C-alpha cells in the first residue's frame, strides 16, 4: 500500500509539472500585485510596486510547503499622485503606522489539478485575519540564466472594512463614492537556485 501511495504521489507531482521541490523567491521584475475597487460607476485599478516573498513548494508533501509574502504599503501606485498620497494617509493604509501588508501560510491543501487552497494569516492596517487564498500553479522549468522558475496566480476579493479601512463619502444622489470589495490579482514568477 505504501508503495502504491508513493507511486501515485510521484505521478501527481510529475503531472503538476513541479518535479523539483524547493525554495522559490519572488522575481519582482516579472511579477505584479494589482487591485480594482469600485469608484462611482466604474472600477479604478492600481498596484503595489514593492513586494517580496518565499514559497517552499513540495507537491509530494504539502505539509512541508509554505508561503511568506510581504508588500510595502507605501508602494501603492494608481498612476495619480494625489490619489496615491491619500491612499497612503490615515484615511486608508496609514503607511506611517502600518508600513507592511503580510501573509504567512498555515496550511496548504490541493483543490484541483493545478490549484491549491492556501490558508494563512493576512495582516493589513494592523488587523490580522485568517484567509484562504485560491492559488493556481502555472508551471515550472529551468531558467535560461540558471536555477529553476515557477509561476503562480492568485485571484481573490477582500472587504477593506474587515481591515479597518473604512473611509468613504456619501453621494448627494445616494450611495457611496467607493465600494467595499477589492478585487486582487497576484501573478508571481519565482526562482530557485
Amino acid at each position: 500500500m505504501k508503495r502504491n501511495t508513493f507511486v501515485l504521489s510521484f505521478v501527481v507531482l510529475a503531472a503538476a509539472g513541479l518535479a523539483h521541490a524547493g525554495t522559490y523567491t519572488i522575481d519582482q521584475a516579472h511579477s505584479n500585485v494589482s487591485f480594482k475597487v469600485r469608484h462611482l460607476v466604474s472600477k479604478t485599478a492600481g498596484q503595489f510596486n514593492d513586494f517580496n516573498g518565499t514559497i517552499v513548494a513540495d507537491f509530494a508533501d504539502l505539509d512541508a510547503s509554505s508561503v511568506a509574502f510581504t508588500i510595502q504599503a507605501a508602494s501603492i501606485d494608481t498612476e495619480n499622485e494625489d490619489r496615491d498620497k491619500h491612499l497612503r494617509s490615515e484615511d486608508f493604509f496609514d503607511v506611517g503606522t502600518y508600513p507592511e501588508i503580510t501573509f504567512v501560510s498555515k496550511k496548504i491543501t490541493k483543490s484541483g489539478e493545478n490549484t491549491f487552497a492556501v490558508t494563512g494569516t493576512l495582516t493589513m492596517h494592523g488587523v490580522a485575519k485568517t484567509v484562504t487564498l485560491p492559488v493556481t500553479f502555472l508551471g515550472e522549468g529551468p531558467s535560461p540564466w540558471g536555477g529553476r522558475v515557477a509561476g503562480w496566480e492568485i485571484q481573490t476579493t477582500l472587504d477593506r472594512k474587515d481591515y479597518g479601512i473604512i473611509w468613504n463619502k456619501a453621494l448627494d444622489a445616494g450611495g457611496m463614492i467607493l465600494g467595499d470589495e477589492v478585487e486582487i490579482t497576484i501573478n508571481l514568477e519565482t526562482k530557485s537556485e
Side-chain angles (χ1 to χ4, degrees), residues 152-175:
W152 320 83
E153 182 179 51
I154 300 97
Q155 291 185 319
T156 192
T157 300
L158 297 175
D159 187 328
R160 64 188 179 93
K161 287 187 174 179
D162 288 345
Y163 296 87
I165 302 175
I166 60 174
W167 185 92
N168 218 331
K169 188 174 181 181
L171 298 169
D172 292 340

Side-chain angles (χ1 to χ4, degrees), residues 51-96:
F51 50 88
N52 62 75
T54 302
I55 298 173
V56 178
D58 186 347
F59 288 0
D61 183 8
L62 291 179
D63 288 339
S65 300
S66 63
V67 177
F69 188 59
T70 300
I71 298 169
Q72 300 302 318
S75 72
I76 196 166
D77 179 6
T78 64
E79 298 185 350
N80 182 293
E81 186 175 342
D82 289 339
R83 179 168 57 217
D84 293 344
K85 184 177 179 180
H86 190 201
L87 289 170
R88 294 184 186 108
S89 76
E90 294 177 3
D91 284 343
F92 289 94
F93 287 98
D94 191 3
V95 301

Side-chain angles (χ1 to χ4, degrees), residues 25-39:
T25 56
I26 293 171
D27 179 356
Q28 187 173 306
H30 298 99
S31 302
N32 62 75
V33 178
S34 61
F35 62 87
K36 290 181 182 177
V37 64
R38 186 171 177 85
H39 179 267

